[in-house]
Structures are given as C-alpha cells and as structure tokens.
C-alpha cells in the first residue's frame, strides 16, 4: 500500500519571513508521521518562504526558466536546506527518511510536460526508506531550469508508483464551498464548480480549482486537509475533502 503525502510549504515555513522554518508546525507533522503505521510512504514538501522568495528574485517560474547557475545555486540550494530540516525532524523521530532532489531526477520537455524518474523512489521504498522529495528546479528543454511544484510531483508520483492514497496538507482544512464550509467529498468538478469557478473557467491563480481537477484525474483517492488532518489521514481516516 503506497501513500503519497504532500506538506505545503506554507504549513512548514513562516510564509512572510524569507527562509524561515515554522519549527513547531514541522515538529507536529513529523510527530504524526513518526506515530503512523504506514508501510510505503513518500513525502513531498513545498517551498514556502525558501522556494518562492528565491524563485521570484531570479524571475524563474514553472514556465520561464533561467540558464544562470547562480539561480540554481540560490533556488535549489534553499530547497535543499529546507529538505535537510524536514529530513532531520523525521530522522530524529526514527523515520527512515532519505532525500530525493528532483533537479537530479526529473526533466520537462519543450511543452512543459514533466517526467520524474521514479525508479529511484521505488527502489528506496523497497528498502524500507521514506523518500522525501520537494518542490525544486527541473531542467526544461529550451528554458534552462524552471520551477516544479510539489503538487506536480505528487500527481506524477501517484500515477507512476500506482499509489493507493494521496494526501495534501495545506493551510486550509479542505476545499471550501461558497459559505466557507469544507466540502466532504468531490466526485466531479461540477460538485464544486460554483464555489471554485465554472467548469470552463481558467484558474489564473493556479489555486484550488487546478488542484481539484488534477486530483480528480488521479486513479487514487486524494484528501485535502490542514495540519490537523495529517495524523488522521495517516491512520486511514478521510479528513478534510475527499476527491475521487
Ligand atoms: C515551490 O514548490 C518550489 C519552488 C518555488 C522552488 P511548491 O509550489 O510545492 O511550494 P508551496 O507548497 O506552494 O509552498
């Protein structure tokens, strides 16, 4: 049974202070992971105030790239620093966490399609490790390097590893309806089209609407929840919004 868990960057970092960890929040999440009895777990974390701040400083996005090695040093370097903190918090609690840096394990073609070389992740799982990936830079045909978000990695991993469950932990307790209440279950985009924008609406923010569409396309069920949902999700419950 393979589980993919994404920890949003805004959950584990202080959003408004560049390169600052939210140690209490990361410790609480690491406690939940350590306390869970999950056989094949892959963790992916976002960039928060480590990734976005550095990417913006170099004008690098998921589409606009750079060939500057200083951009790679700053953006990838900051993400590796954050990754090492996540690993250390997990290791300290006995979780056999090991790093996977997408810059060395993924690429984008000229159309922007991502290929993640997941053999490495699968081999780590087979050896009993918990691979910990992160939003990062990837080499991109014709663009140099561009940003890859943790959400993109989760979707790719879920498909290629044939994951059984996917969990996305962010700062909101789930997908919210027009009244701000958590929607318990989404089985088609029409269930939330009014709250998130009509089915033809483009998602200019790259926010929840795009996330819901991508998660609906997965074969595995996904849950969207906040930090309080991590423990219940890993215990097999269905916190927040279930999307399947
Ligand atoms: C961003 O990853 C990575 C970089 C900007 C280098 P995410 O897009 O997954 O990060 P969060 O979860 O939104 O912070």
């Amino acid at each position: 049974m393979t589980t993919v868990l994404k920890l949003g960057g805004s959950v584990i970092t202080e959003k408004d202070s560049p390169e600052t960890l939210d140690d209490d929040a990361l410790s609480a999440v690491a406690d939940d992971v350590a306390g869970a009895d999950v056989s094949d777990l892959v963790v992916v974390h976002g960039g928060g105030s480590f990734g976005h701040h550095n990417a913006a400083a170099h004008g690098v996005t998921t589409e606009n790239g750079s060939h500057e090695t200083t951009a790679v040093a700053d953006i990838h370097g900051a993400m590796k620093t954050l990754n090492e903190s996540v690993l250390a918090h997990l290791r300290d609690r006995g979780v056999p966490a090991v790093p996977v840096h997408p810059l060395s394990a993924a690429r984008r073609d000229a159309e922007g399609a991502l290929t993640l070389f997941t053999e490495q992740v699968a081999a780590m799982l087979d050896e009993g490790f918990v691979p910990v990936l992160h939003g990062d830079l990837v080499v991109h045909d014709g663009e140099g390097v561009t940003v890859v978000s943790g959400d993109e990695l989760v979707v790719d991993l879920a498909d290629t590893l044939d994951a059984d469950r996917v969990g996305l932990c962010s700062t909101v307790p789930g997908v919210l309806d027009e009244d701000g209440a958590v929607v318990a279950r989404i089985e088609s985009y029409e269930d939330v089209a009014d709250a998130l924008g009509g089915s033809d609406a483009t998602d200019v923010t790259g926010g929840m609407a795009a996330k819901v569409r991508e998660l609906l396309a997965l074969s595995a069920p996904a849950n969207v929840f906040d930090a309080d949902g991590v423990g219940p999700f890993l215990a097999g419950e269905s916190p927040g919004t279930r999307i399947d």
Side-chain angles (χ1 to χ4, degrees), residues 6 8-10 46-48 51-52 55 75 79 135-136 147-151:
K6 155 112 197 258
S10 49
H52 295 292
I75 304 165
M79 287 309 304
D136 199 359
V147 170
V148 61
S149 73
D151 288 4

Side-chain angles (χ1 to χ4, degrees), residues 6-13 15 44-56 60-62 75-76 78-79 82 134-137 146-153 169-170 211:
K6 155 112 197 258
L7 304 174
S10 49
V11 174
I12 59 170
T13 73
K15 205 174 82 188
V44 179
H45 64 80
S49 64
F50 288 74
H52 295 292
H53 158 79
N54 281 291
V60 178
T61 67
T62 53
I75 304 165
H76 176 66
M79 287 309 304
L82 175 58
H134 53 87
D136 199 359
L137 295 175
T146 53
V147 170
V148 61
S149 73
D151 288 4
E152 272 185 280
L153 296 170
C169 171
S170 72
K211 200 177 279 198

Side-chain angles (χ1 to χ4, degrees), residues 77-155:
M79 287 309 304
K80 279 203 301 188
T81 302
L82 175 58
N83 184 245
E84 182 45 40
S85 291
V86 174
L87 292 167
H89 278 71
L90 292 170
R91 272 197 313 265
D92 286 352
R93 292 161 176 79
V95 178
V98 292
V100 177
H101 304 303
L103 177 60
S104 308
R107 59 178 289 239
R108 275 192 206 286
D109 66 18
E111 279 73 49
L114 182 76
T115 303
L116 179 65
F117 307 116
T118 45
E119 295 88 353
Q120 194 67 9
V121 176
M124 289 169 167
L125 289 173
D126 285 347
E127 288 304 310
F129 292 115
V130 173
V132 183
L133 295 84
H134 53 87
D136 199 359
L137 295 175
V138 279
V139 67
H140 185 150
D141 287 5
E143 284 288 335
V145 290
T146 53
V147 170
V148 61
S149 73
D151 288 4
E152 272 185 280
L153 296 170
V154 165
V155 168

